Amino acid sequence: MTTARPVWVVVADPLTARTFFDCGIVEGLAEHLGGRLRVALTFGRPEADAWSKRVPDGVHTFHVDDLFPDAVPPPERVARRADRWLDERIGYFPLAIRLNLRHGFHGERMLPGHRNQLLDSDRVGPLPVRPRVEQAMRRWHFSPRRHVASALRRRLEAERPDVVLSNLQMQSATPFIVLGRRLGLRTVGYVASWDHTVGKGVIWNGLARYVVQNERMRDDLVRYHDVDADRVVVTGWPQADVFHARRPRRAFEDVLRRYGLDPGLPLVMVMGNTPTNMPYEGRFFERLVDWWEKTGAAQRFSLLFRPHPRDGEWRERFASALDRRGAAVQMPSHTDIDVLATLLQHADAVVSNAGTVLLDALANDRPSVCVLYDEGAPAGETWAAKSVIGEHYRDVAISGAFHEARSFEEVVAGIERCLEAPAELAAERRAVTAKVVGPVDGRNAERVVDAVVDEVG
């Protein structure tokens, strides 16, 4: 009798940790696979430690220092340094930038020295920008002969597992793809978010199965990454399962009280983008708080600000809202999705600049305002407007499911309209949710589990 292979779930970053743990994918895989399951957390501690506590009992966990230790023998140190040197010039970022250039992804946003490395045109690399050159670069990047950490290689050689990548486009996923090719390992790749197929790097087309959220992502894999459509499974968005579970009003009121807000007033949530995408957003927050206090709006509704989970400058950017009566600022977090779901099921309006959080709001049927201008920016700077012109955002941008604001006055008007007529764009919100998110039926994570289990047996 043949013994079934172990199955390694490689959790690459906090974003997909939230998807795989909070949405129940790891738990579902543990139920189906039992003792076959392993979990590898390939991002740094202490963030990974918080998620390791969520690994089901009896499931072995690997951490980044188990698989990619800093201390290695001198020959491996030399090989690692050489591999990194090559990668900077012909690997991960150069290939990502060239993919953007070839297909026009984020063409309006890319700049030399951009703080978002996937938009930094300086990272194109020294070689000519030509199809044949890029094909050669891609062959090297995913080459089974490429250097990988010996600790990881020894473990995979010993176990010969099936591999499930929570984010197949992370740099930390590349060694698993490389070793998968070298050792003949069956590999399943989860595409981590709806925008990753069109501007977040190249995707290797030789995996056994790809799991995506919607039909457009399937089409993108075929069109831009040469993936066979028969190997792509559309499951819906697992995060929608969290939104599907209804939270009572009293839970929402308890959250507001914890932030010192009056549950008797309407709540307007203001969602932040990252400093790299919205460098002038702090000025907008300041003006909004000033208007809210001086016009008497503070007596009519509360403000709750939510920084982006990757906002390392949030204290400075949201300083105007700190310690204000009737306003509050959440801590940046990847681990409070239940709180987010509770707020989005009952908040009266959402203000944001694009991003997935606007999709969160629409999926929860929240009246929303999308900020499309940059408060206080020099003439010609259009960071906010550029956030909604990406290929992945096309369906949302034309949906008519939210109020567009190209000036502060339009932001104010949009908020007032959300509060006065919350049902006004409900049909449009439902339509774009169905198209981009897929079913909100509580079974998306189950479909992801089924897709993986069906492949690994």
Side-chain angles (χ1 to χ4, degrees):
M1 183 177 67
T2 302
T3 303
R5 291 183 177 187
V7 178
W8 281 40
V9 174
V10 181
V11 183
D13 59 331
L15 169 69
T16 51
R18 184 171 74 176
T19 301
F20 271 60
F21 284 98
D22 282 332
C23 302
I25 295 172
V26 171
E27 183 179 359
L29 290 173
E31 291 176 1
H32 282 275
L33 301 173
R36 295 175 62 194
L37 186 64
R38 317 279 191 269
V39 173
L41 300 167
T42 58
F43 53 102
R45 304 189 189 208
E47 275 190 304
D49 289 334
W51 293 107
S52 66
K53 298 172 184 176
R54 305 276 301 277
V55 174
D57 292 341
V59 175
H60 188 81
T61 305
F62 297 104
H63 284 275
V64 66
D65 43 351
D66 298 321
L67 306 175
F68 304 97
D70 286 332
V72 294
E76 181 171 354
R77 199 157 56 241
V78 172
R80 182 173 63 188
R81 188 179 300 121
D83 184 81
R84 290 175 177 173
W85 186 91
L86 280 170
D87 191 73
E88 289 175 1
R89 289 156 179 80
I90 62 172
Y92 182 80
F93 284 111
L95 282 168
I97 297 302
R98 288 160 186 258
L99 183 76
N100 290 350
L101 293 174
R102 183 163 68 252
H103 297 295
F105 301 149
H106 306 301
E108 301 85 350
R109 299 175 64 195
M110 289 175 62
L111 293 169
H114 198 298
R115 291 174 63 189
N116 182 336
Q117 294 177 324
L118 289 168
L119 300 176
D120 179 5
S121 56
D122 283 342
R123 289 179 171 267
V124 69
L127 299 182
V129 180
R130 296 174 185 165
R132 286 189 178 181
V133 172
E134 289 158 22
Q135 289 170 9
M137 291 167 61
R138 190 169 180 272
R139 284 196 298 271
W140 175 85
H141 183 62
F142 294 112
S143 169
R145 294 181 294 277
R146 185 176 170 181
H147 166 76
V148 293
S150 61
L152 175 64
R153 174 178 50 78
R154 286 194 297 268
R155 289 186 185 273
L156 293 187
E157 284 178 338
E159 294 198 21
R160 301 274 170 165
D162 295 325
V163 177
V164 180
L165 301 173
S166 76
N167 187 343
L168 76 166
Q169 289 164 276
M170 293 286 286
Q171 273 184 305
S172 60
T174 304
F176 291 90
I177 297 174
V178 167
L179 281 172
R181 297 189 67 201
R182 185 185 304 178
L183 303 175
L185 308 180
R186 181 165 43 194
T187 304
V188 177
Y190 180 80
V191 182
S193 187
W194 61 313
D195 63 338
H196 281 209
T197 53
V198 286
K200 293 295 180 69
V202 297
I203 294 175
W204 174 244
N205 64 351
L207 305 187
R209 181 161 293 187
Y210 300 79
V211 181
V212 299
Q213 299 164 18
N214 58 43
E215 292 291 342
R216 180 180 285 278
M217 293 173 69
R218 186 212 296 269
D219 295 342
D220 291 341
L221 285 179
V222 175
R223 180 178 179 183
Y224 301 118
H225 302 280
D226 300 321
V227 172
D228 184 347
D230 292 339
R231 285 185 281 132
V232 183
V233 180
V234 179
T235 61
W237 191 25
Q239 190 162 309
D241 295 352
V242 182
F243 300 145
H244 179 261
R246 301 306 302 173
R247 272 78 173 171
R249 177 77 187 186
R250 65 178 178 275
F252 171 71
E253 294 176 354
D254 288 344
V255 172
L256 295 191
R257 290 189 184 97
R258 289 205 301 270
Y259 286 110
L261 302 178
D262 182 356
L265 289 178
L267 177 70
V268 174
M269 292 191 70
V270 184
M271 310 296 207
N273 208 316
T274 62
T276 56
N277 287 335
M278 287 286 287
Y280 300 101
E281 205 170 35
R283 300 181 186 181
F284 168 69
F285 301 146
E286 184 177 356
R287 185 171 181 184
L288 180 62
V289 171
D290 186 63
W291 166 85
W292 174 74
E293 288 187 326
K294 290 181 178 178
T295 63
Q299 282 70 56
R300 295 189 291 115
F301 60 83
S302 303
L303 289 175
L304 179 58
F305 292 83
R306 182 179 177 84
H308 191 281
R310 295 198 303 271
D311 189 348
E313 304 168 17
W314 69 277
R315 292 187 183 278
E316 296 78 17
R317 284 158 47 82
F318 292 85
S320 58
L322 295 171
D323 302 320
R324 298 294 181 102
R325 184 180 179 86
V329 181
Q330 294 181 283
M331 292 275 289
S333 175
H334 280 103
T335 61
D336 68 340
I337 193 169
D338 286 331
V339 173
L340 176 62
T342 300
L343 290 168
L344 286 178
Q345 287 181 6
H346 297 281
D348 297 274
V350 171
V351 179
S352 72
N353 165 248
T356 300
V357 74
L358 178 59
L359 192 61
D360 292 339
L362 299 178
N364 281 279
D365 194 27
R366 290 306 89 194
S368 301
V369 180
C370 183
V371 180
L372 298 173
Y373 84 104
D374 299 281
E375 180 68 39
E381 300 250 9
T382 55
W383 295 80
K386 290 176 181 177
S387 293
V388 299
I389 57 178
E391 180 72 17
H392 71 288
Y393 223 87
R394 185 193 311 163
D395 293 328
V396 177
I398 65 175
S399 68
F402 49 87
H403 300 282
E404 297 183 354
R406 291 179 171 79
S407 67
F408 184 78
E409 290 72 24
E410 290 185 357
V411 172
V412 170
I415 292 173
E416 299 291 3
R417 190 63 186 168
C418 288
L419 299 177
E420 292 169 6
E424 184 174 34
L425 301 177
E428 289 83 351
R429 293 193 289 269
R430 287 192 298 270
V432 74
T433 297
K435 189 167 189 177
V436 178
V437 173
V440 185
D441 60 1
R443 299 186 59 192
N444 295 301
E446 180 183 333
R447 285 186 281 269
V448 174
V449 171
D450 288 345
V452 172
V453 172
D454 183 58
E455 183 61 37
V456 302

